[in-house]
Amino acid sequence: MTVLVLGIGNILWADEGFGVRAVEAFHRLYAMAKDVDLLDGGTQGLYLVNRVAEVDRLLVFDAIDYGLPPGTLKLVIGDEVPKFTGAKKMSLHQTGFQEVLSAADLMGHYPSDIVLIGCQPLDLEDWGGPLTAPVSASIEPALAAAVEVLESWGVAPSRRAVPLPAESGLLANDIDRAAYERPRAGAD
């Protein structure tokens, strides 16, 4: 059984980056079981089809506008997932994750289990801004929910005694959260 833990979203639009930041934190805090891969899917759209089509089980972190209080987490399971993916499209030409799932299904390689851990965003319009406080505070609970899902699939990760340093994180460059969300000049 192969499992993909995928974070999707755009870190350049504040809370839209929740999925990427969650998978990044998951990598730093947890060692994955064999056959579990982590991926920063960012805004890759249809480029993710092959990765999704090659796994048996898929766990996705994403910012989702459920109309709930900011920072609220909601788990969506199975056939309900395509109805809830993506908080914001940047243009009419952008491919949403629904299209990725549809393409995998058309290829005949749809994951047997899918779980979406969605977080209600507060701000999707702050170009270059960090995650807002309620969304940032939801990362640890989202990781705990992910551990429960993976445990139920029999591929539980183990918490690292010491988190990986930022330079050996999933992104390991200037767009990892610690480097990207440095305090802004003139900010309180």
Side-chain angles (χ1 to χ4, degrees):
M1 177 184 67
T2 56
V3 176
L4 177 62
V5 178
L6 176 65
I8 56 177
N10 189 333
I11 62 170
L12 299 177
W13 288 104
D15 291 341
E16 173 63 18
F18 168 79
V20 172
R21 297 312 187 196
V23 78
E24 175 185 81
F26 207 39
H27 171 70
R28 291 191 67 229
L29 296 173
Y30 289 89
M32 294 300 119
K34 185 179 188 276
D35 296 324
V36 177
D37 288 326
L38 297 179
L39 178 63
D40 163 12
T43 58
Q44 294 181 50
L46 284 174
Y47 290 107
L48 295 171
V49 171
N50 288 334
R51 289 300 306 271
V52 168
E54 67 189 15
V55 299
D56 299 307
R57 292 182 168 161
L58 176 64
L59 175 63
V60 181
F61 294 106
D62 196 7
I64 306 292
D65 188 358
Y66 300 109
L68 299 171
T72 302
L73 293 175
K74 183 173 179 178
L75 267 69
V76 182
I77 300 170
D79 293 340
E80 293 296 306
V81 171
K83 297 176 188 173
F84 287 99
T85 54
K88 177 179 182 173
K89 275 195 170 186
M90 304 302 161
S91 77
L92 293 174
H93 305 289
Q94 181 180 348
T95 303
F97 198 64
Q98 298 95 330
E99 287 88 355
V100 172
L101 294 175
S102 293
D105 191 29
L106 286 171
M107 292 169 56
H109 300 288
Y110 200 78
S112 60
D113 292 300
I114 300 179
V115 174
L116 167 67
I117 299 174
C119 181
Q120 175 67 47
L122 172 63
D123 187 353
L124 299 172
E125 301 299 325
D126 185 5
W127 171 254
L131 295 179
T132 61
V135 171
S136 183
S138 295
I139 288 180
E140 281 281 342
L143 301 185
V147 168
E148 287 183 24
V149 169
L150 294 172
E151 284 175 347
S152 76
W153 290 347
V155 290
S158 58
R159 182 113 183 176
R160 298 180 195 277
V162 176
L164 293 175
E167 61 270 11
S168 55
L170 192 58
L171 299 177
N173 56 40
D174 284 343
I175 60 171
D176 77 319
R177 187 170 181 205
Y180 182 78
E181 293 186 3
R182 290 185 285 253
R184 296 180 189 185
D188 295 3

